[in-house]
Amino acid sequence: MIERLPLLLGIALRHISRRRRQTVVAVSGVAVGVGFFLAVSAMMIGSQNDFIKTLIDAAPHIIISDELRSPPKQPGFRVFRNGVVVLRNYKVRNEVRGLKDWPAIMRAANDEPGAIASPSLSGAVTLHLSGREEALSIIGIDPEIETRVSTIEDKLRVGRLHDLETVQSGVIIGEEMAQRLGVGMGDIVSATSGAGTTRSLRIVGLFKRGQSQLGATSGYVLLREAQSLLGRPFIINRIGVKLADPYRAQEVSRRLEGRFGYKAESWEERSADFLSLLVTRNVIMYSVVSAILLVASFGIYTVVSNSVADKRRDIAIMRSMGFSEGDLQLIFVAEGIVLALVGVLFGWALGYGLMEILGSLKFPIAGEDKYLPLDRGARQYAIAASASLFAGVIAAWLPARKSSRVDPVDILRGAV
Amino acid sequence: MTAVLEAQGLGRTLSGEPPIRLVNDVSFAVERGTFTTIIGPSGCGKSSLLYLLGLIDRPTIGKLLLEGNDVAGLDGDARAQLRLEHFGFVFQFHFLLPEFSALENVVLPIRRLGRLDGAAIEQRGIDLLKSVGLDEKASKTPDRMSGGERQRVAIARALANDPMLVLGDEPTGNLDSQNSARVVKLLKALAHEQGRAVICVTHDLEIAAEADVRISMLDGRIIDVART
């Protein structure tokens, strides 16, 4: 069979070369389908990757908080699990907030390969300045460790996280908050916690606008400053863990939660709603693009179908010469494959060109020039080629089957 | 002489109401080196018999022995392979592939058989065209050749794989008398000089008169076999 392929392919190429107009239309259909598939998928997957990277980088990969997934059981329930008396509506014991034995949790988290754990304490305070009040959620951190765990440093318009250590009672807030309070770098604001403690805090850094993941009402202070302000010395209520491989977050968080009982949320769990949206988005994208490729394959179907119809006489004479039914089917399937292949090559070029154009477009967002995140990976080129070739083979095979049903006797006798 | 092809009670019936008998209980043998013609009125089953003998159509009854082996019941691929190796066909219409040159048309069966390499294939094609006096037209496509030339190219193609049987269905039906005589001369030479068995269906009694064996048909049956 393989030794016959050059002959059969040669016949297919002759057929195609004689039907220039139809060939151009069919190839153009595939090329446009492939080109737009590449451009659209580059945008969709690029934005998806960018979005996931933002999700991963915005916060630690795992956050262990002082919450429990379900309240602890009453001692009576734990001892008499299958007792005859059923306890209902009992009062749940209030746990003291804060992570107990947090140094052990930190050690366990740091024992994970390539992991860095960062302790923090968060709580609510009110900022006062000249009669104005603003609620602020403060997060007490260790700047040395936090810079290695999160990308907060990159989100600062002015200042550095390390300034929290060098400036006494320093605080970093968002640009919006600073604007509302009418303060700037170096200004002092008064902060009062729920515990009744009041401190004067100096602005040592400002977040850029529009950093939604940081929150417009969040602020960073030194960990011991937060513990003092919130009246919770030596206590932390959150451990952020950064992993060498963010896609292990689910597995590691499950292990840590199983061991210590505290809620350990991976970035995937925190972003489950967004991730499920991405799945839906991908399904829609691939459905639409598959439809484009399917429509493109109609062109191939038309060309091959017409070719089979026009070549009935040639089919009959080739059958009489000794070409088998399989040979004739292969000739017409080869026509479809050649059309799809040429279409794919032009489509790749078109897709590359479209990506270059899209990649050069500038969008001013929040005062900065942003470019469309594009995924130019070879995977999409391979998917486009495989899908087009598959569609091309099917589109050619359907009419090609008719070639084997041509009755040579009728044609040779009647010269139909 | 040994029969190269032998029909034994060969029949072909088209199903339907009522069934149509195209060929009915035909028995005869064809020997190498003979030029046989099948004659009869239109619709008597001449061409139907030829397609049965050439393994293009399948008999509904009877045996067809090719060098003593029954080939009537073979599957499509096996019959195609036998046609490729042992049969050459010439039709009323030349049936050359329009996209290919004369040489390419001639070598198509050789390339399909795949027993020769590139240079040998081309040389064989040129030799075949030379044998029909058309080696100078090797690169011409069918649309740039006369009717007689096309038919001679078709004869050259029929001989591509050196077949032992050459079957013609009204091979001179579309030619003028001069070209017709030339084609008949070629066909006779294939039988008498090259030892092939040549079977031609024809209406032309002048051509039939040139044959070694004349088979007359009526209503799907052989009514007479005359030898000269």
Side-chain angles (χ1 to χ4, degrees):
Chain A
M1 175 60 82
I2 290 169
E3 67 275 10
R4 298 207 295 268
L5 282 180
L7 169 65
L8 304 179
L9 186 64
I11 297 172
L13 287 173
R14 290 292 176 94
H15 286 177
I16 291 170
S17 64
R18 288 283 284 244
R19 318 174 69 84
R20 283 191 195 143
R21 195 176 300 167
Q22 284 191 21
T23 300
V24 167
V25 170
V27 165
S28 305
V30 176
V32 169
V34 168
F36 277 86
F37 170 84
L38 288 174
V40 172
S41 62
M43 273 195 297
M44 298 287 267
I45 293 171
S47 63
Q48 177 180 310
N49 291 345
D50 189 58
F51 185 67
I52 290 176
K53 188 173 180 300
T54 308
L55 282 179
I56 292 172
D57 293 345
H61 301 152
I62 298 169
I63 295 175
I64 305 166
S65 61
D66 59 347
E67 291 173 33
L68 300 168
R69 299 255 183 203
S70 54
K73 303 273 189 248
Q74 285 285 342
F77 185 85
R78 287 206 296 268
V79 175
F80 303 106
R81 193 176 294 273
N82 299 313
V84 291
V85 178
V86 179
L87 298 173
R88 291 186 195 280
N89 302 326
Y90 54 82
K91 187 181 175 190
V92 176
R93 201 176 84 188
N94 280 331
E95 295 285 332
V96 176
R97 300 307 300 266
L99 292 166
K100 288 180 198 163
D101 197 14
W102 61 268
I105 304 174
M106 290 277 293
R107 275 196 302 278
N110 279 322
D111 282 347
E112 292 293 334
I116 306 163
S118 170
S120 63
L121 174 68
S122 58
V125 298
T126 308
L127 298 182
H128 310 270
L129 187 76
S130 310
R132 296 193 66 173
E133 290 187 351
E134 287 287 344
L136 182 74
S137 170
I138 59 161
I139 304 161
I141 56 165
D142 180 338
E144 178 67 36
I145 304 174
E146 192 66 26
T147 46
R148 291 157 59 200
V149 171
S150 70
T151 55
I152 298 166
E153 187 88 29
D154 304 335
K155 314 287 190 232
L156 294 179
R157 174 80 67 197
V158 281
R160 293 181 313 133
L161 273 189
H162 278 286
D163 295 340
L164 292 174
E165 289 180 315
T166 54
V167 178
Q168 194 173 6
S169 300
V171 64
I172 297 171
I173 58 172
E175 281 183 318
E176 295 102 321
M177 172 73 79
Q179 195 174 16
R180 283 203 298 274
L181 286 168
V183 293
M185 283 290 286
D187 290 344
I188 292 173
V189 290
S190 176
T192 305
S193 71
T197 314
T198 300
R199 286 281 168 81
S200 293
L201 302 176
R202 184 182 295 276
I203 312 288
V204 296
L206 293 172
F207 295 124
K208 294 172 190 171
R209 285 175 192 278
Q211 301 299 328
S212 58
Q213 62 269 41
L214 292 176
T217 56
S218 296
Y220 282 83
V221 295
L222 216 51
L223 176 59
R224 60 176 180 274
E225 189 71 49
Q227 288 168 336
S228 167
L229 183 57
L230 298 170
R232 305 179 73 184
F234 310 112
I235 287 177
I236 65 161
N237 59 7
R238 200 184 88 139
I239 295 173
V241 184
K242 184 178 183 181
L243 300 170
D245 176 9
Y247 291 95
R248 282 187 60 235
Q250 199 87 295
E251 166 210 335
V252 175
S253 65
R254 218 171 283 140
R255 199 160 51 235
L256 290 172
E257 185 167 323
R259 182 170 166 192
F260 297 102
Y262 288 113
K263 186 176 172 185
E265 266 189 318
S266 66
W267 66 269
E268 286 141 306
E269 189 184 347
R270 288 198 305 274
S271 315
D273 48 350
F274 291 117
L275 293 176
S276 66
L277 272 179
L278 292 179
V279 172
T280 312
R281 207 174 76 133
N282 280 342
V283 169
I284 293 169
M285 178 191 81
Y286 281 112
S287 304
V288 170
V289 176
S290 301
I292 295 172
L293 291 176
L294 188 67
V295 170
S297 70
F298 289 165
I300 293 175
Y301 178 90
T302 306
V303 171
V304 177
S305 189
N306 285 345
S307 186
V308 171
D310 290 354
K311 296 291 174 192
R312 284 165 58 83
R313 214 182 63 164
D314 293 1
I315 291 168
I317 192 66
M318 283 194 278
R319 291 277 298 277
S320 77
M321 271 186 227
F323 281 74
S324 66
E325 291 178 6
D327 290 337
L328 292 159
Q329 284 194 31
L330 258 176
I331 289 171
F332 293 103
V333 169
E335 285 185 30
I337 292 173
V338 169
L339 291 172
L341 258 178
V342 177
V344 164
L345 292 177
F346 280 109
W348 279 356
L350 177 66
Y352 182 83
L354 286 172
M355 279 190 259
E356 285 296 306
I357 293 168
L358 289 169
S360 67
L361 298 177
K362 268 193 281 191
F363 297 94
I365 296 171
E368 284 182 37
D369 282 339
K370 300 267 184 186
Y371 292 91
L372 283 175
L374 296 172
D375 176 65
R376 298 166 193 253
R379 189 168 160 265
Q380 294 310 108
Y381 284 86
I383 290 175
S386 316
S388 298
L389 286 175
F390 179 72
V393 168
I394 298 294
W397 177 69
L398 292 172
R401 286 184 313 161
K402 286 186 193 161
S403 67
S404 60
R405 292 190 206 128
V406 169
D407 184 357
V409 176
D410 287 345
I411 293 163
L412 296 172
R413 291 176 74 170
V416 179
Chain B
M1 262 195 214
T2 321
V4 65
L5 188 69
E6 187 176 354
Q8 293 181 352
L10 208 60
R12 174 77 167 100
T13 305
L14 294 180
S15 55
E17 273 308 320
I20 302 164
R21 284 188 169 176
L22 298 175
V23 177
N24 191 6
D25 194 22
V26 166
S27 298
F28 73 99
V30 181
E31 290 158 0
R32 284 180 187 271
T34 57
F35 178 37
T36 304
T37 55
I38 304 173
I39 56 172
S42 292
C44 72
K46 306 185 293 290
S47 294
S48 299
L49 175 61
L50 191 80
Y51 294 132
L52 290 177
L53 298 175
L55 305 181
I56 292 175
D57 201 3
R58 198 184 289 264
T60 44
I61 192 166
K63 283 184 178 179
L64 183 63
L65 305 178
L66 180 67
E67 292 194 307
N69 301 310
D70 188 5
V71 294
L74 293 178
D75 66 20
D77 283 353
R79 293 150 65 85
Q81 190 63 27
L82 286 177
R83 285 199 298 274
L84 189 65
E85 292 182 32
H86 301 300
F87 290 82
F89 292 90
V90 185
F91 300 94
Q92 182 175 358
F93 303 94
H94 58 83
F95 287 143
L96 298 176
L97 304 188
E99 298 89 356
F100 293 83
S101 68
L103 179 62
E104 287 169 331
N105 265 290
V106 169
V107 300
L108 211 53
I110 308 173
R111 291 180 65 196
R112 171 60 185 79
L113 190 60
R115 288 185 185 157
L116 296 179
D117 63 15
I121 289 172
E122 189 167 335
Q123 189 53 52
R124 169 96 180 129
I126 296 285
D127 290 346
L128 285 165
L129 283 173
K130 197 177 278 182
S131 71
V132 294
L134 288 172
D135 51 317
E136 286 177 3
K137 306 245 173 170
S139 60
K140 294 257 188 294
T141 48
D143 58 338
R144 296 170 66 195
M145 298 163 84
S146 70
E149 287 171 340
R150 289 175 200 162
Q151 198 62 318
R152 276 147 61 198
V153 173
I155 292 172
R157 183 178 63 186
L159 302 175
N161 286 328
D162 196 17
M164 54 185 171
L165 282 141
V166 176
L167 309 186
D169 187 5
E170 303 276 11
T172 58
N174 263 354
L175 301 179
D176 57 36
S177 58
Q178 199 179 349
N179 275 310
S180 181
R182 196 166 184 178
V183 166
V184 171
K185 193 177 165 194
L186 265 171
L187 292 171
K188 279 179 74 177
L190 295 178
H192 299 151
E193 292 168 23
Q194 298 178 16
R196 304 175 205 274
V198 179
I199 308 169
C200 279
V201 163
T202 182
H203 273 107
D204 191 332
L205 294 177
E206 282 184 31
I207 294 171
E210 304 260 353
D212 306 313
V213 180
R214 284 188 306 280
I215 297 173
S216 301
M217 288 188 74
L218 186 67
D219 297 335
R221 289 176 181 274
I222 291 178
I223 54 167
D224 183 45
V225 178
R227 294 173 191 274
T228 52

